[in-house]
Amino acid sequence: MSLRALAAATALLPLLAGCDATAPAAERAKPRRVLDTTANVEEVLYLSGTHEERLLAFLRKRYGDNAGLVEPWTDTWDDTEVEAQRPVTRSVCARDTVNTDGHRQHLLAVCQRIDDAASVEPGRVDLYVLRDGTDGQPGEDHDLLASLVGVQTPLVVVAQRLQGQYGRRGAPGAVQVEPLGPQRHAFRITHGEISRGVAMTSRTYVAVHNNRLREVALLREHIDNAAARHCGQTGKACDDPAFDVDFTVAVGTANAVDGYWPLTVRSHGQDCTGPAHSDDLVAFEPATRRYAVPAELQRTRCAE
């Protein structure tokens, strides 16, 4: 090697030492993380102000300064499955304040709509159960006094369930808070999907059980195979019998099991073998920590 070549090679050594030449280009090009949406938030936050101001402060600690209690806000989502940041619209899609075992709890749902989603891609929902302080039920007078004197009030995160996948076209569906028992309040998520031409609308109940937010029930509200049947295009008969069934769900008000009232599910419409009409009483099962929903009420095709 000539002296000129040796000098050039020597000059390159500090440059090579400054980067990882063995790392793939895709690895070096990964976007910087802006929000780890699966990370736990602080278990206790000390916040001043009214109840509304503390909830807003909680949201902004979690999602950034653009977060709001009323209006949606745009953001970027760190999608770890495709290693990319994607545009999303977030909003508080459900919230309620309830009394549970002598404590005032705040149930808060943040929905995330993925703006560039494919038709089959679900949206995301973050669910939180929060509690004021550790001394029971402060009340509005406490909120007013705390806001006037600037006292920081503990906001306890009782439970959370992050990045739940529901719905389609990047939207998670509709969320509301509904009682499932005298001291049991649940997030009810109503979401739709289409699978192989079968259209379904379902409701999922998520409730706190043993200090964890769990899916305690999955029930259908509608199911039909209108888009899956191939009729008359080539002179052939339809491949499958037609079915189009609606289900109504009513929450009981007595005979609670482990704090959960039973559910009455009524079906009506056209099933695979004829008219559909049935009433089913679905009770909570403590051993599985879920409602014991019969398989025929969760079917995705003709009942077997």
Side-chain angles (χ1 to χ4, degrees):
M1 177 182 292
S2 68
L3 290 177
R4 181 176 294 179
L6 179 61
T10 304
L12 282 173
L13 288 176
L15 297 175
L16 293 174
C19 63
D20 183 3
T22 62
E27 184 75 18
R28 297 197 300 271
K30 285 181 181 178
R32 180 179 62 85
R33 300 291 188 237
V34 293
L35 172 66
D36 183 354
T37 51
T38 62
N40 287 352
V41 298
E42 300 173 48
E43 293 184 359
V44 181
L45 295 88
Y46 291 88
L47 306 169
S48 61
T50 65
H51 160 61
E52 298 278 315
E53 290 169 341
R54 290 198 305 275
L55 284 184
L56 180 59
F58 168 80
L59 285 174
R60 290 183 172 173
K61 280 180 175 289
R62 176 64 179 163
Y63 298 101
D65 292 340
N66 290 333
L69 276 172
V70 179
E71 298 296 329
W73 68 95
T74 57
D75 206 341
T76 53
W77 174 46
D78 181 27
D79 189 342
T80 56
E81 293 184 6
V82 298
E83 298 294 346
Q85 291 175 0
R86 303 175 62 188
V88 298
T89 300
R90 291 191 172 94
S91 63
V92 173
C93 49
R95 66 183 177 109
D96 200 0
T97 299
V98 300
N99 292 325
T100 303
D101 298 326
H103 294 277
R104 187 171 70 165
Q105 289 188 345
H106 312 292
L107 280 72
L108 186 70
V110 176
C111 287
Q112 175 175 285
R113 189 188 74 235
I114 305 170
D115 298 339
D116 61 354
S119 62
V120 297
E121 189 170 10
R124 305 293 193 273
V125 182
D126 291 345
L127 304 175
Y128 303 97
V129 177
L130 313 170
R131 187 182 71 226
D132 286 322
T134 57
D135 56 353
Q137 184 177 341
E140 294 301 324
D141 292 341
H142 179 280
D143 286 349
L144 178 60
L145 178 62
S147 66
L148 290 175
V149 300
V151 173
Q152 288 195 324
T153 303
L155 188 64
V156 181
V157 181
V158 176
Q160 62 181 350
R161 185 183 180 91
L162 306 179
Q163 292 292 291
Q165 300 187 19
Y166 303 95
R168 59 190 300 266
R169 297 189 183 278
V175 186
Q176 62 191 82
V177 177
E178 185 173 311
L180 284 182
Q183 296 291 317
R184 303 284 194 188
H185 288 80
F187 294 99
R188 170 183 157 186
I189 307 170
T190 305
H191 49 101
E193 63 180 293
I194 296 178
S195 177
R196 297 180 180 179
V198 176
M200 290 173 285
T201 303
S202 306
R203 67 167 64 178
T204 298
Y205 285 108
V206 181
V208 173
H209 193 83
N210 293 342
N211 294 323
R212 289 187 59 188
L213 275 168
R214 307 175 186 272
E215 289 190 359
V216 296
L218 171 64
L219 299 137
R220 304 288 184 224
E221 289 191 354
H222 173 80
I223 180 170
D224 73 73
N225 68 342
R229 306 177 72 231
H230 307 289
C231 306
Q233 295 181 2
T234 59
K236 296 181 180 178
C238 295
D239 295 339
D240 300 308
F243 60 88
D244 188 339
V245 186
D246 291 311
F247 304 87
T248 58
V249 182
V251 180
T253 57
N255 302 319
V257 176
D258 201 15
Y260 291 91
W261 290 317
L263 308 175
T264 300
V265 182
R266 294 183 172 90
S267 59
H268 54 91
Q270 175 66 36
D271 213 334
C272 299
T273 57
H277 181 77
S278 66
D279 288 355
D280 292 271
L281 189 65
V282 181
F284 187 80
E285 192 173 79
T288 61
R289 295 175 291 200
R290 292 179 64 92
Y291 280 89
V293 182
E296 59 269 21
L297 296 182
Q298 292 181 312
R299 64 188 185 271
T300 59
R301 56 185 58 86
C302 288
E304 298 179 357

